Amino acid sequence: MSPTSVQDQLHAMRHRALAGLDDAAGLAAITDWERSFLGAKGELTTFLRGLGALSAEERPLAGRAGNALKVELTKAYEAKRTTLAAAALDRRLDADAVDISLPGRRPVFGGSHPLSQVIDELSEIFALLGYQTVFGPEVETARYNFDLLNIPADHPARDVWDTLHVEAAEELVLRTHTSPMQARTMERQPPPVRVVVPGKAFRYEAQDASHEWMFHQLEGLAVDTNITMSDLKGTLAEVARQLFGPARKIRFRCDFFPFTEPGVDFAIDCAICDGRGCRVCKQTGWLELGGAGMVHPNVLRGVGYDPDQVSGFAFGLGIDRIAMMRSGLDDIRAFAANDLRVLRQFARVA
Ligand code: PHE
């Protein structure tokens, strides 16, 4: 081959290559282009491989020109590929565009249930009086729900609790009160004890505006040396004042609970009418809040405490009652009916 024809050949190849690259419209097209000129079997590669066959005088010239063309085509290819890739990205971004003028979706915020609000508030009040808040199981054994509370298996007092049974064989019940946590707490630690236990309790009762199968109690237990009935009264009076204002009075009346001696029921004077009598207190001037008493020696003995060394008081506060007075809802069933129109009026966003 004469030097001129080698030059011509390269010249023609350059021309075709650059025109082809110009025409290549997409990434697929330039990949083909790259293969046919610069690839292992491409035209230019084949030319460079064939240099050995040229004469000694032609070879350097052809080699230099061929390599220069390789550099030029490689650069042109890279530039074109960058341009095409950028254009492809632009197209994809255009297609994916987010319409920032669309209004967003409002997140739904939960709020705390009126019963949870009362539980939180009571826990806080009792924390200031030195009580720890603890929780217990809703499915209980008869041992904790009854036996350790001085209610033996064949004793008629058991019937008072309208028990829902879960498993007859194992004597598993839905706890009928939060009192089982008295024994569970004392078993776990030596005296002194100061705990409150908020939670659900269950009784198989006829339902009406003030009775549900499920309701909420807050159990309180204080055991220490020299605890007396006046500590119980002072504590409940203080809680009543924290809840319903400084003027509240507390009333005890005799009552019977197998796990207390003596036992009482307790009420506060109605905060709505100041004790004069109104619809809320059913004209009595008093609002019944629960049962209480001094812990029965048998209960202390049952958990290994010595009734000659320590004494204590316990109480069970009706939480639903307080929440009803707080919210003005006059039907306990509204709390668990899950009607958002009702609950939203009282939900407090944390
Ligand atoms: N557990 C009793 C009830 O549910 C209430 C109570 C608790 C009474 C503690 C006395 C002491 O009826």
Side-chain angles (χ1 to χ4, degrees), residues 43-202:
E43 219 174 301
L44 184 54
T45 315
T46 310
F47 171 85
L48 291 171
R49 278 214 194 100
L51 284 175
L54 296 180
S55 66
E57 81 207 57
E58 280 178 321
R59 209 180 295 142
L61 206 69
R64 225 176 299 130
N67 279 320
L69 182 57
K70 184 173 179 184
V71 170
E72 185 187 358
L73 290 186
T74 306
K75 262 196 202 144
Y77 164 73
E78 298 288 351
K80 177 91 183 196
R81 204 184 54 175
T82 308
T83 317
L84 286 177
L89 181 61
D90 278 350
R91 271 197 306 280
R92 204 147 24 102
L93 288 177
D94 276 352
D96 277 359
V98 174
D99 181 355
I100 56 165
S101 67
L102 263 181
R105 287 190 199 103
R106 256 174 216 289
V108 181
F109 287 110
S112 74
H113 190 278
L115 289 170
S116 304
Q117 292 170 27
V118 173
I119 290 173
D120 290 347
E121 200 178 332
L122 284 169
S123 296
E124 242 168 77
I125 293 170
F126 279 105
L128 292 173
L129 296 173
Y131 287 73
Q132 195 188 348
T133 298
V134 298
F135 299 91
E138 289 166 8
V139 176
E140 258 302 358
T141 59
R143 176 175 160 77
Y144 286 101
N145 198 84
F146 297 120
D147 300 346
L148 286 171
L149 289 168
N150 199 31
I151 314 170
D154 49 4
H155 197 280
R158 245 186 223 214
D159 300 341
V160 175
W161 273 277
D162 305 300
T163 311
L164 287 152
H165 293 267
V166 175
E167 192 76 70
E170 290 180 55
E171 278 226 90
L172 284 182
V173 302
L174 293 184
R175 68 176 175 195
T176 58
H177 44 188
T178 43
S179 300
M181 277 304 283
Q182 290 187 25
R184 283 189 182 275
T185 305
M186 288 189 282
E187 270 183 356
R188 253 186 256 143
Q189 64 171 91
V193 173
R194 273 180 186 73
V195 291
V196 286
V197 191
K200 294 182 173 69
F202 305 84

Side-chain angles (χ1 to χ4, degrees), residues 149 160-161 176-180 182 201 203 215 217-220 256-257 259-260 263-264 266 290-294 313-317:
L149 289 168
V160 175
W161 273 277
T176 58
H177 44 188
T178 43
S179 300
Q182 290 187 25
R203 284 181 206 176
F215 60 103
Q217 287 187 326
L218 181 121
E219 191 81 9
F256 171 74
F257 301 98
F259 37 95
T260 58
V264 294
F266 65 97
M294 299 307 291
F313 63 74
F315 55 86
L317 200 71

